Amino acid sequence: MNFLEEKILKDGIVKPGSILKVDNFLNHQIDISIMRKIARELKQRFYGERVDKVVTIESSGIAIATLLGDLYDVPVVFAKKSVTANSTDDKYVSQAYSFTHKRMNQVFISRPYLNKGERVLIVDDFMADGQAALALIDIVQQAGAEVVGIGIAIEKGQQQGGRKLREEGYHLESIAIVESMDPESQVIRFRSKTI
């Protein structure tokens, strides 16, 4: 059992609807020591890979991406979910369905921040159906850049996102893969080996 699986068992709460609540250390309150470990572990899993940019989607992936960007000493870019007054029309746009929020989001990255030929590592805190990763892959491809890998803190293995991305040939690394979880017993089981 790795450090993240241990932390999930200690502090995670299983809610009905296949929800794993880990907001006390991952995506509301941030445990910096865990985030550092996640970033170091992901860098180790992509050892030898040249990375020019780390890309994530707002907002929960930003903490992991920032620490990983620091380790690689490269810029971090996050796809925004909402247009603001200072947003540009010059952007790469895709659609991502949020499993957590149960809605479709239009996500974008301004064109100057993603360039042709760059080698991009996509990271996020969770993967369920893989929609956020697919939207980021689409944006990276629109820019003419290359996805060198996808790093996820927690993958819901009972959902199909990870399987589909691996079948499509992407190098996907998830630190903890939840195989099953029960809201009544609070039992969480992890995949014994990463695929």
Side-chain angles (χ1 to χ4, degrees):
M1 183 165 297
N2 68 40
F3 71 93
L4 186 54
E5 293 167 342
E6 289 173 359
K7 184 70 170 173
I8 292 166
L9 289 179
K10 179 177 178 279
D11 292 339
I13 299 169
V14 181
K15 308 284 271 183
S18 194
I19 302 294
L20 177 59
K21 187 175 169 71
V22 290
D23 62 350
N24 65 333
F25 68 89
L26 186 64
N27 52 21
H28 190 53
Q29 173 175 271
I30 296 173
D31 182 327
I32 294 298
S33 67
I34 289 292
M35 289 295 174
R36 281 190 196 107
K37 288 178 182 177
I38 290 170
R40 284 193 297 262
E41 179 67 21
L42 288 175
K43 185 167 187 207
Q44 179 61 37
R45 292 192 185 197
F46 293 100
Y47 179 79
E49 200 66 72
R50 192 188 96 229
V51 173
D52 300 314
K53 291 224 170 116
V54 175
V55 170
T56 191
I57 195 164
E58 70 176 359
S59 65
S60 298
I62 295 173
I64 297 167
T66 301
L67 291 171
L68 194 55
D70 181 53
L71 291 176
Y72 278 107
D73 195 23
V74 298
V76 172
V77 180
F78 64 91
K80 292 189 173 195
K81 294 180 185 172
S82 57
V83 176
T84 60
N86 64 355
S87 296
T88 176
D89 289 336
D90 192 21
K91 57 188 172 244
Y92 302 109
V93 180
S94 193
Q95 302 287 322
Y97 180 77
S98 171
F99 177 82
T100 307
H101 298 109
K102 306 290 187 226
R103 71 170 181 250
M104 187 64 74
N105 292 306
Q106 186 177 66
V107 297
F108 70 91
I109 292 177
S110 296
R111 286 181 184 261
Y113 305 132
L114 203 52
N115 303 294
K116 184 177 182 178
E118 287 181 322
R119 296 171 58 81
V120 174
L121 179 58
I122 293 172
V123 299
D124 209 352
D125 62 335
F126 264 97
M127 176 175 289
D129 294 327
Q131 295 301 304
L134 287 168
L136 293 175
I137 290 166
D138 180 36
I139 287 172
V140 169
Q141 290 173 343
Q142 288 177 50
E146 177 187 354
V147 175
V148 297
I150 303 165
I152 303 295
I154 303 170
E155 177 184 335
K156 292 181 178 179
Q158 71 274 33
Q159 291 175 253
Q160 300 304 310
R163 182 186 57 77
K164 289 177 185 174
L165 288 165
R166 288 180 182 97
E167 285 175 357
E168 289 179 22
Y170 290 101
H171 180 186
L172 170 61
E173 292 286 344
S174 298
I175 297 172
I177 302 177
V178 176
E179 274 299 338
S180 65
M181 52 187 174
D182 180 38
E184 288 185 27
S185 65
Q186 290 298 304
V187 171
I188 302 168
R189 289 191 174 85
F190 298 99
R191 187 171 293 167
S192 58
K193 297 191 267 187
T194 302
I195 297 173

